[in-house]
Amino acid sequence: PPKPLDDEELPAEQVAALARAWKEVDRLSARVDKSGVVPGFGKQADRIIRKAVAAAHGVEAEAAGLAQAVDAPLRALFVRQLQALAAQAVDVYDAAMERRPNPIEAGLQAKRHFQRGVSSLTRPGSGWSAEAEEADLNSRLDGSYSRDRALVQEQVKSGYGKSEDLQVIRDLQESV
């Protein structure tokens, strides 16, 4: 495992590289704060880490330590964006249900939206994972699917088919 970074042990060039990297991380953080999800975040994070690691000039232990120091705050931003992405995916589901009440298709659209976003957010070659957030999203969508499937079946039985009726019923159920 890489040894912990200590400013007293790091050459000035590496300290400067870390400072530059953290400034770039701060800029990315501000963009995440502003927009929730930054398209291409994974590639940007990779570029930041590669620039910091280049300051190690091929010394493997130092490169690993620099990468680890810069990766940690970038991974935290990744996780924060996954939460925003999951919320967006639920919005995609709701919008699809309003357009055409088909819980299966709405669920597939929401999952595709999330998966496309994850691929843009994940740093290439990293161990970053969205499994926990995807499982949480799937659980939320499964609950919506079950509720909406029952609503659609009830609409078919009673002869209703307007998406406005479906939305009113969903809003009433959510408020309970």
Side-chain angles (χ1 to χ4, degrees):
K3 64 181 185 175
L5 294 174
D6 182 350
D7 282 351
E8 295 175 14
E9 295 177 20
L10 287 177
E13 183 178 330
Q14 290 179 21
V15 172
L18 270 178
R20 285 190 301 273
W22 285 330
K23 282 183 184 179
E24 289 188 59
V25 170
D26 287 344
R27 282 194 287 274
L28 265 180
S29 180
R31 290 179 57 203
V32 170
D33 290 343
K34 183 178 179 180
S35 64
V37 176
V38 175
F41 176 84
K43 288 181 181 177
Q44 294 175 54
D46 191 53
R47 181 185 49 78
I48 291 169
I49 290 175
R50 286 180 187 275
K51 284 171 57 177
V53 166
H57 299 296
V59 179
E60 192 172 321
E62 291 175 1
L66 286 168
Q68 191 175 36
V70 178
D71 182 74
L74 288 168
R75 187 179 185 295
L77 288 174
F78 167 73
V79 170
R80 210 164 89 201
Q81 290 178 90
L82 290 177
Q83 294 164 354
L85 185 61
Q88 286 178 359
V90 170
D91 290 344
V92 165
Y93 177 91
D94 291 340
M97 285 299 294
E98 286 178 22
R99 284 190 307 277
R100 181 171 176 236
N102 182 335
I104 294 172
E105 183 58 35
L108 290 173
Q109 287 178 25
K111 289 176 183 183
R112 281 192 300 264
H113 176 82
F114 184 79
Q115 290 165 348
R116 276 191 309 267
V118 167
S119 68
S120 172
L121 296 177
T122 304
R123 184 172 67 84
S126 72
W128 295 359
S129 171
E131 287 179 19
E133 291 79 5
E134 188 168 14
D136 181 53
L137 172 64
N138 287 336
S139 176
R140 290 167 66 185
L141 291 175
D142 287 346
S144 293
Y145 170 79
S146 297
R147 178 193 69 217
D148 291 339
R149 191 184 85 215
L151 286 172
V152 170
Q153 287 174 341
E154 188 58 37
Q155 281 185 326
V156 169
K157 285 181 191 174
S158 62
Y160 294 106
K162 295 181 180 175
S163 61
E164 295 84 17
D165 296 335
L166 177 63
Q167 186 59 42
V168 169
I169 294 168
R170 288 178 73 209
D171 290 345
L172 288 172
Q173 284 185 331
E174 287 177 3
S175 66
V176 174

